[in-house]
Amino acid sequence: MTRVNLQYYAQLREQAGASAEQVSTAAVTLRDLYDELRTRHGFTLPVDALKVAVNTQFSDWNRTLADGDTVVFIPPVAGG
């Protein structure tokens, strides 16, 4: 199991009920992790609507997770 720190914003924060959490996951890639979290939290946004960053750098969805990574899923920003 890999332990990662997650940060949520906007719609994802509302659906998760928290702005951050630490999870242990069997996911190998960022895409796997998001799929796992969609099941856990009921996230409704598809992967292709999001950007993802790991340790403050934008990343590819196929990046392999490492223990201690900080992952941020970034939903589309609505203007106002």
Side-chain angles (χ1 to χ4, degrees), residues 11-78:
Q11 182 179 343
L12 296 178
R13 180 180 58 225
E14 293 169 16
Q15 292 176 340
S19 60
E21 68 178 328
Q22 187 175 70
V23 299
S24 290
T25 179
V28 175
T29 66
L30 293 167
R31 185 179 302 274
D32 296 339
L33 176 62
Y34 187 70
D35 287 344
E36 185 179 294
L37 293 168
R38 281 183 81 174
T39 300
R40 180 181 301 174
H41 293 304
F43 291 158
T44 55
L45 291 170
V47 166
D48 59 2
L50 302 169
K51 291 189 185 286
V52 63
V54 179
N55 304 326
T56 70
Q57 296 189 341
F58 284 109
S59 186
D60 182 272
W61 283 99
N62 295 318
R63 182 183 190 276
T64 302
L65 289 168
D67 206 48
D69 277 347
T70 297
V71 179
V72 181
F73 296 110
I74 305 162
V77 177

